[in-house]
Amino acid sequence: MPYQTTVGAMTYRFADLKTLLAKASPARSGDYLAGLAAATYEERMAAKLALADVPLQTFLNEALIPYESDEVTRLIIDRHDQQAFAPISHLTVGDLRDWLLLERTDSSILAAVAPGITPEMAAAVSKLMRNQDLILVARKCHVVSAFRNTLGLPGHLSVRLQPNHPTDDVRGIAASLLDGLLYGAGDATVGINPASDSLPTLMRLWQMMDEVRQHFEIPMQSCVLTHVTTQIQAIEAGAPVDLVFQSIAGSEKTNSSFGVSLSILKEAHEAALSLKRGTVGDNCMYFETGQGSALSAGGHHGIDQQTCEARAYAVARAFKPLLVNTVVGFIGPEYLYDGKQIIRAGLEDHFCAKLLGLPMGCDVCYTNHAEADQDDMDNLLTLLGAAGINFIMGVPGADDIMLNYQSTSFHDALYLRSVLGLKRAPEFDAWLTRMAITDTTGRLREIGRGHHLLQQLPHVSGAA
């Protein structure tokens, strides 16, 4: 169905819904690369005006990728909750923006309508919103998840401790793990991106993290970010797997390029649940996403990269994850050219995911060939903190020596908690106090060589 609007003496026509969404998107290099972006600022504004008048019901009637040829589309349509959608079913996209910004539209109302909002609806309304709108609405969306501790509580910020090593050296990883714990990081998860896909090497990583956890009775969860099929093999081999990880995207074709399908993810989810390793909850999946992945895999079907990204959240939502993470600037400047585009994308991703009911975090990051620097990341970090982000990354020195990109450090989390008065996961916070890493107010203590954690660590065989 064509869409059109008139601006001055010019009438703009858009062939279909996905064209309209693409033309209404804020400028970003990936959409220009794909030939989808608006040619001028006036065309972009015309598309926004036309999009504002589109009824939400249209998104249930006009699939961006045909139902018959894409399992993500089938998931979105088949899982749509008409009862949850009913209170907003009469609205247009522009009306939805206004409704979301109303003071009376509070956290409980947003949680109730989340199952009735499709990813395309979320992406559409985000395109009409300023940065402050994205922050304000996301802050009202409280999404709590739990495994060995409780994440996403209002007023809390968690950290994924990322102790990567270019050769998967267990001693090097253990050193980074210790460093992070002493800075109060690791309540979201301790997650290693391995350099190897060798199962014996990966088994040593799982075993080391679990031995440290048990030795010090840490209320945390661990994860090795290898392919999901390898994690299923590891579970079958007896590995102490807490969270199952996988990168996901918003189309069947892109997920196939990752070597995954909804059936494989279901198998992995059931395998992880069968271990019953959670203590305060059973959210045992960890997903990562990122704008541009569908385009880079040739699986975007002519859809703009931000809408493709939002569709990935439908995949995540189906498996009730503990963590979802947009690795926002990792793919590079071909998709998000500079700091301005990275900041906007991070706020969009967080808003859309939270609106859909996901426990969303962000790897506030960039590659060294992007037109961005650490000041840009400080800005995004602070904005996401204000928006109520569930978790961020904790990388030693903010420089990942295995993946070769710039992220956020343990110190960055301390900064954000200090400025915004944010707390760690309550169970993890209590452990830090018990271990004399923090005082009763949550502030870090000065740690000397005689600290009992440092004295005991060499006796953990995997780290010795």
Side-chain angles (χ1 to χ4, degrees), residues 169-196:
D169 180 76
V170 175
R171 289 174 61 88
I173 290 171
S176 292
L177 170 57
L178 171 63
D179 189 25
L181 290 173
L182 292 177
Y183 276 105
D187 49 346
T189 189
V190 176
I192 301 170
N193 298 88
S196 169

mmCIF file of all heavy atoms in Angstrom, residues 169-196:
data_model
loop_
_atom_site.group_PDB
_atom_site.id
_atom_site.type_symbol
_atom_site.label_atom_id
_atom_site.label_comp_id
_atom_site.label_asym_id
_atom_site.label_seq_id
_atom_site.Cartn_x
_atom_site.Cartn_y
_atom_site.Cartn_z
ATOM 1 N N ASP A 169 44.148 -17.596 27.909
ATOM 2 C CA ASP A 169 44.989 -17.992 29.041
ATOM 3 C C ASP A 169 44.186 -17.880 30.341
ATOM 4 O O ASP A 169 43.692 -16.808 30.689
ATOM 5 C CB ASP A 169 46.224 -17.089 29.112
ATOM 6 C CG ASP A 169 47.121 -17.454 30.272
ATOM 7 O OD1 ASP A 169 47.823 -18.467 30.173
ATOM 8 O OD2 ASP A 169 47.093 -16.730 31.297
ATOM 9 N N VAL A 170 44.064 -18.991 31.053
ATOM 10 C CA VAL A 170 43.213 -19.023 32.236
ATOM 11 C C VAL A 170 43.732 -18.091 33.321
ATOM 12 O O VAL A 170 42.959 -17.423 34.019
ATOM 13 C CB VAL A 170 43.078 -20.472 32.759
ATOM 14 C CG1 VAL A 170 42.294 -20.506 34.059
ATOM 15 C CG2 VAL A 170 42.379 -21.341 31.723
ATOM 16 N N ARG A 171 45.060 -18.003 33.471
ATOM 17 C CA ARG A 171 45.621 -17.106 34.490
ATOM 18 C C ARG A 171 45.326 -15.641 34.145
ATOM 19 O O ARG A 171 44.984 -14.843 35.019
ATOM 20 C CB ARG A 171 47.131 -17.321 34.603
ATOM 21 C CG ARG A 171 47.519 -18.647 35.236
ATOM 22 C CD ARG A 171 49.030 -18.866 35.182
ATOM 23 N NE ARG A 171 49.752 -17.828 35.899
ATOM 24 C CZ ARG A 171 50.039 -17.868 37.208
ATOM 25 N NH1 ARG A 171 49.641 -18.901 37.925
ATOM 26 N NH2 ARG A 171 50.706 -16.894 37.786
ATOM 27 N N GLY A 172 45.457 -15.292 32.869
ATOM 28 C CA GLY A 172 45.157 -13.927 32.461
ATOM 29 C C GLY A 172 43.697 -13.582 32.664
ATOM 30 O O GLY A 172 43.355 -12.470 33.109
ATOM 31 N N ILE A 173 42.810 -14.521 32.326
ATOM 32 C CA ILE A 173 41.378 -14.295 32.517
ATOM 33 C C ILE A 173 41.052 -14.179 34.002
ATOM 34 O O ILE A 173 40.288 -13.295 34.422
ATOM 35 C CB ILE A 173 40.578 -15.435 31.856
ATOM 36 C CG1 ILE A 173 40.685 -15.318 30.332
ATOM 37 C CG2 ILE A 173 39.113 -15.404 32.288
ATOM 38 C CD1 ILE A 173 40.128 -16.505 29.578
ATOM 39 N N ALA A 174 41.661 -15.047 34.818
ATOM 40 C CA ALA A 174 41.419 -14.996 36.259
ATOM 41 C C ALA A 174 41.891 -13.671 36.853
ATOM 42 O O ALA A 174 41.246 -13.114 37.753
ATOM 43 C CB ALA A 174 42.115 -16.165 36.948
ATOM 44 N N ALA A 175 42.997 -13.134 36.346
ATOM 45 C CA ALA A 175 43.494 -11.847 36.838
ATOM 46 C C ALA A 175 42.499 -10.731 36.536
ATOM 47 O O ALA A 175 42.221 -9.875 37.387
ATOM 48 C CB ALA A 175 44.855 -11.543 36.216
ATOM 49 N N SER A 176 41.956 -10.733 35.314
ATOM 50 C CA SER A 176 40.955 -9.718 34.956
ATOM 51 C C SER A 176 39.667 -9.908 35.749
ATOM 52 O O SER A 176 39.012 -8.932 36.139
ATOM 53 C CB SER A 176 40.653 -9.784 33.453
ATOM 54 O OG SER A 176 41.762 -9.383 32.688
ATOM 55 N N LEU A 177 39.303 -11.155 35.997
ATOM 56 C CA LEU A 177 38.129 -11.456 36.800
ATOM 57 C C LEU A 177 38.292 -10.892 38.211
ATOM 58 O O LEU A 177 37.393 -10.229 38.747
ATOM 59 C CB LEU A 177 37.906 -12.972 36.838
ATOM 60 C CG LEU A 177 36.866 -13.525 37.823
ATOM 61 C CD1 LEU A 177 35.510 -12.904 37.593
ATOM 62 C CD2 LEU A 177 36.789 -15.047 37.696
ATOM 63 N N LEU A 178 39.452 -11.136 38.803
ATOM 64 C CA LEU A 178 39.732 -10.612 40.150
ATOM 65 C C LEU A 178 39.696 -9.088 40.157
ATOM 66 O O LEU A 178 39.100 -8.469 41.043
ATOM 67 C CB LEU A 178 41.093 -11.105 40.622
ATOM 68 C CG LEU A 178 41.626 -10.475 41.916
ATOM 69 C CD1 LEU A 178 40.715 -10.809 43.079
ATOM 70 C CD2 LEU A 178 43.051 -10.949 42.198
ATOM 71 N N ASP A 179 40.326 -8.485 39.148
ATOM 72 C CA ASP A 179 40.343 -7.030 39.035
ATOM 73 C C ASP A 179 38.928 -6.479 39.031
ATOM 74 O O ASP A 179 38.601 -5.517 39.741
ATOM 75 C CB ASP A 179 41.087 -6.652 37.750
ATOM 76 C CG ASP A 179 41.360 -5.157 37.627
ATOM 77 O OD1 ASP A 179 41.418 -4.471 38.670
ATOM 78 O OD2 ASP A 179 41.541 -4.683 36.490
ATOM 79 N N GLY A 180 38.061 -7.092 38.232
ATOM 80 C CA GLY A 180 36.682 -6.622 38.155
ATOM 81 C C GLY A 180 35.921 -6.791 39.456
ATOM 82 O O GLY A 180 35.180 -5.891 39.882
ATOM 83 N N LEU A 181 36.089 -7.941 40.109
ATOM 84 C CA LEU A 181 35.405 -8.170 41.378
ATOM 85 C C LEU A 181 35.807 -7.137 42.423
ATOM 86 O O LEU A 181 34.968 -6.651 43.199
ATOM 87 C CB LEU A 181 35.697 -9.584 41.893
ATOM 88 C CG LEU A 181 35.074 -10.737 41.104
ATOM 89 C CD1 LEU A 181 35.582 -12.077 41.628
ATOM 90 C CD2 LEU A 181 33.544 -10.691 41.150
ATOM 91 N N LEU A 182 37.076 -6.771 42.443
ATOM 92 C CA LEU A 182 37.556 -5.795 43.422
ATOM 93 C C LEU A 182 37.036 -4.393 43.125
ATOM 94 O O LEU A 182 37.074 -3.521 44.004
ATOM 95 C CB LEU A 182 39.085 -5.795 43.475
ATOM 96 C CG LEU A 182 39.722 -7.076 44.041
ATOM 97 C CD1 LEU A 182 41.233 -7.007 43.975
ATOM 98 C CD2 LEU A 182 39.257 -7.334 45.468
ATOM 99 N N TYR A 183 36.571 -4.164 41.901
ATOM 100 C CA TYR A 183 35.912 -2.907 41.560
ATOM 101 C C TYR A 183 34.392 -3.016 41.660
ATOM 102 O O TYR A 183 33.666 -2.105 41.255
ATOM 103 C CB TYR A 183 36.303 -2.459 40.148
ATOM 104 C CG TYR A 183 37.604 -1.698 40.092
ATOM 105 C CD1 TYR A 183 38.752 -2.302 39.596
ATOM 106 C CD2 TYR A 183 37.688 -0.381 40.539
ATOM 107 C CE1 TYR A 183 39.967 -1.616 39.534
ATOM 108 C CE2 TYR A 183 38.880 0.312 40.491
ATOM 109 C CZ TYR A 183 40.013 -0.301 39.987
ATOM 110 O OH TYR A 183 41.202 0.391 39.947
ATOM 111 N N GLY A 184 33.903 -4.140 42.158
ATOM 112 C CA GLY A 184 32.468 -4.308 42.334
ATOM 113 C C GLY A 184 31.716 -4.614 41.063
ATOM 114 O O GLY A 184 30.499 -4.399 40.979
ATOM 115 N N ALA A 185 32.412 -5.136 40.047
ATOM 116 C CA ALA A 185 31.779 -5.477 38.777
ATOM 117 C C ALA A 185 31.494 -6.971 38.707
ATOM 118 O O ALA A 185 32.158 -7.766 39.372
ATOM 119 C CB ALA A 185 32.673 -5.069 37.609
ATOM 120 N N GLY A 186 30.520 -7.351 37.879
ATOM 121 C CA GLY A 186 30.258 -8.765 37.633
ATOM 122 C C GLY A 186 28.885 -9.239 38.025
ATOM 123 O O GLY A 186 28.581 -10.435 37.904
ATOM 124 N N ASP A 187 28.014 -8.325 38.479
ATOM 125 C CA ASP A 187 26.701 -8.794 38.917
ATOM 126 C C ASP A 187 25.796 -9.192 37.758
ATOM 127 O O ASP A 187 24.950 -10.077 37.906
ATOM 128 C CB ASP A 187 26.009 -7.775 39.822
ATOM 129 C CG ASP A 187 26.013 -6.357 39.272
ATOM 130 O OD1 ASP A 187 26.774 -6.084 38.328
ATOM 131 O OD2 ASP A 187 25.265 -5.521 39.813
ATOM 132 N N ALA A 188 25.965 -8.581 36.572
ATOM 133 C CA ALA A 188 25.157 -9.015 35.426
ATOM 134 C C ALA A 188 25.582 -10.419 35.002
ATOM 135 O O ALA A 188 24.763 -11.331 34.923
ATOM 136 C CB ALA A 188 25.300 -8.042 34.260
ATOM 137 N N THR A 189 26.842 -10.569 34.712
ATOM 138 C CA THR A 189 27.449 -11.882 34.446
ATOM 139 C C THR A 189 28.950 -11.698 34.313
ATOM 140 O O THR A 189 29.421 -10.580 34.095
ATOM 141 C CB THR A 189 26.880 -12.524 33.156
ATOM 142 O OG1 THR A 189 27.340 -13.870 33.038
ATOM 143 C CG2 THR A 189 27.285 -11.762 31.918
ATOM 144 N N VAL A 190 29.681 -12.774 34.476
ATOM 145 C CA VAL A 190 31.076 -12.824 34.036
ATOM 146 C C VAL A 190 31.043 -13.555 32.707
ATOM 147 O O VAL A 190 30.765 -14.752 32.649
ATOM 148 C CB VAL A 190 31.978 -13.544 35.040
ATOM 149 C CG1 VAL A 190 33.400 -13.653 34.488
ATOM 150 C CG2 VAL A 190 31.976 -12.820 36.378
ATOM 151 N N GLY A 191 31.277 -12.824 31.630
ATOM 152 C CA GLY A 191 31.129 -13.388 30.286
ATOM 153 C C GLY A 191 32.405 -13.293 29.494
ATOM 154 O O GLY A 191 32.920 -12.199 29.266
ATOM 155 N N ILE A 192 32.921 -14.439 29.071
ATOM 156 C CA ILE A 192 34.176 -14.501 28.316
ATOM 157 C C ILE A 192 33.877 -14.696 26.834
ATOM 158 O O ILE A 192 33.161 -15.617 26.451
ATOM 159 C CB ILE A 192 35.061 -15.662 28.805
ATOM 160 C CG1 ILE A 192 35.385 -15.516 30.300
ATOM 161 C CG2 ILE A 192 36.353 -15.745 27.983
ATOM 162 C CD1 ILE A 192 36.039 -16.754 30.895
ATOM 163 N N ASN A 193 34.445 -13.823 25.986
ATOM 164 C CA ASN A 193 34.461 -14.057 24.543
ATOM 165 C C ASN A 193 35.716 -14.856 24.230
ATOM 166 O O ASN A 193 36.820 -14.310 24.259
ATOM 167 C CB ASN A 193 34.498 -12.730 23.776
ATOM 168 C CG ASN A 193 33.282 -11.874 24.033
ATOM 169 O OD1 ASN A 193 33.263 -11.091 24.973
ATOM 170 N ND2 ASN A 193 32.278 -12.025 23.200
ATOM 171 N N PRO A 194 35.600 -16.144 23.945
ATOM 172 C CA PRO A 194 36.797 -16.955 23.753
ATOM 173 C C PRO A 194 37.439 -16.734 22.392
ATOM 174 O O PRO A 194 36.763 -16.444 21.404
ATOM 175 C CB PRO A 194 36.268 -18.388 23.881
ATOM 176 C CG PRO A 194 34.848 -18.295 23.384
ATOM 177 C CD PRO A 194 34.360 -16.943 23.815
ATOM 178 N N ALA A 195 38.750 -16.885 22.360
ATOM 179 C CA ALA A 195 39.465 -16.818 21.086
ATOM 180 C C ALA A 195 39.362 -18.134 20.331
ATOM 181 O O ALA A 195 39.450 -18.171 19.102
ATOM 182 C CB ALA A 195 40.938 -16.477 21.338
ATOM 183 N N SER A 196 39.163 -19.216 21.060
ATOM 184 C CA SER A 196 39.129 -20.565 20.477
ATOM 185 C C SER A 196 37.713 -21.119 20.530
ATOM 186 O O SER A 196 36.907 -20.720 21.370
ATOM 187 C CB SER A 196 40.073 -21.482 21.256
ATOM 188 O OG SER A 196 39.879 -22.834 20.892
#
